[in-house]
Amino acid sequence: MLFKIRVLLFLLLPIFVHAQTNDPRIDSLYQELEQVQSDSLHFELLNTLIANVVWDRPAEGIRLANRFDSLANESNLLNRQAHAQKLLGICYHVKDDYDQSIEHYLQSIKAYDQLKDTFNIGMIYNNIAASY
């Protein structure tokens, strides 16, 4: 039961944090994203933007998650690739496209399995269950 509550809070927290659609903080993040030089900061900003827009604008979340995924594939870092697939799974879930969501979650599990990241594997299996 406690695990379900944690997952629900993980999925719903951004709704409460940034429910406004014209949030100046989000605008500021977009501006910063276009100027950033560091790869790690680029990923961090994209991740933050996705978490803040996906609930109100899932299509925008998917666009940003695809950008994250492209950069992750260019970086050739498995942990970022796994996270990108998890983000895409979340975005498609919010958009009610559960087949796409599950497809991305399964790709994420494959990568996290190679990384031996049991925490994220468990979280994603829970997300898959929610998608079903």
Side-chain angles (χ1 to χ4, degrees), residues 107-124:
Q107 290 300 315
S108 184
I109 285 175
K110 286 180 188 177
Y112 279 126
D113 190 44
Q114 290 178 355
L115 294 166
K116 309 270 189 263
D117 185 339
T118 56
F119 175 80
N120 275 302
I121 291 170
M123 291 291 292
I124 294 167

Side-chain angles (χ1 to χ4, degrees), residues 36-116:
V36 71
Q37 300 295 319
S38 163
D39 281 346
S40 60
L41 187 54
H42 202 132
F43 283 109
E44 186 179 326
L45 287 169
L46 278 171
N47 192 60
T48 302
L49 273 167
I50 293 163
N52 285 285
V53 303
V54 68
W55 301 103
D56 294 324
R57 301 170 274 188
E60 187 174 346
I62 290 169
R63 183 182 59 77
L64 291 166
N66 278 317
R67 184 171 171 180
F68 190 108
D69 186 47
S70 293
L71 291 171
N73 288 327
E74 288 174 16
S75 76
N76 218 19
L77 294 172
L78 190 57
N79 62 331
R80 288 187 175 156
Q81 293 168 346
H83 189 69
Q85 291 301 310
K86 179 172 70 172
L87 289 172
L88 283 163
I90 291 168
C91 291
Y92 279 106
H93 181 93
V94 171
K95 194 176 179 204
D96 297 331
D97 188 342
Y98 302 117
D99 291 336
Q100 281 289 329
S101 177
I102 291 167
E103 185 176 316
H104 288 288
Y105 285 144
L106 292 174
Q107 290 300 315
S108 184
I109 285 175
K110 286 180 188 177
Y112 279 126
D113 190 44
Q114 290 178 355
L115 294 166
K116 309 270 189 263

